Every structure is written in C-alpha cells, then in structure tokens.
Amino acid sequence: LMAPLIDWALSNGYTMTSGDCAYHLFGIRPSHLTTQQMIDICSSLQQKGIYVAVRCGAFRVSPYIDNVESDIQRLISALQEASH
C-alpha cells in the first residue's frame, strides 16, 4: 500500500523513515520546507480530509486498515500540490 508514497517521496527529495517497532508509521522528511511550511501544509491537507502530522521535522503518516490505494494517491497529489 505504501510503495507508491515511498517511491514518490524518494524521487522528490524527501527521505523516509519508519519505526523499528511500528511499521505502520512513516516519516516523510522534506529537506526543502520549514517547520511552519509543513504545519501550513498539514492544515491544507486537513481541509481535504487528509490527516498527517508534523513530528520532529517530518510528516508523520500512519495508514490504517481502512485505507486503500486511492487514499495514498490522494495524499501524494495533495503533498505534491502543497509543496510547490
């Protein structure tokens, strides 16, 4: 499920991290955004019904069992739009 997001992030200048014990939590770390820009992006994503958080300089993404491929594609599209 997360492969498209990981591929997109790595090919667009982000680094990815996942927890050692919680493989359903991912950090997408942008090198080109300030913390305030990231918080603003989170607010704009929330208005679209996409919920991520900013934690320690990364977007925290935590898909759950009810998420589907189209949810991940919506997140990718929204991040791409908001980050430019």
Side-chain angles (χ1 to χ4, degrees):
L1 182 66
M2 296 301 291
L5 178 61
I6 293 168
D7 291 344
W8 175 84
L10 293 176
S11 65
N12 283 279
Y14 293 81
T15 56
M16 296 286 297
T17 56
S18 64
D20 292 334
C21 298
Y23 298 108
H24 63 285
L25 297 175
F26 290 86
I28 303 174
R29 188 174 307 281
S31 61
H32 60 286
L33 298 173
T34 67
T35 300
Q36 186 59 54
Q37 288 172 315
M38 294 174 67
I39 292 168
D40 293 344
I41 288 170
C42 281
S43 295
S44 71
L45 295 177
Q46 187 174 359
Q47 292 174 0
K48 297 177 181 185
I50 301 169
Y51 298 92
V52 299
V54 175
R55 298 284 188 272
C56 301
F59 291 109
R60 179 178 170 237
V61 179
S62 54
Y64 197 61
I65 57 174
D66 61 339
N67 288 116
V68 295
E69 288 180 33
S70 61
D71 295 328
I72 303 304
Q73 289 302 321
R74 281 187 38 213
L75 173 57
I76 292 168
S77 294
L79 280 173
Q80 194 165 14
E81 179 183 313
S83 297
H84 293 276

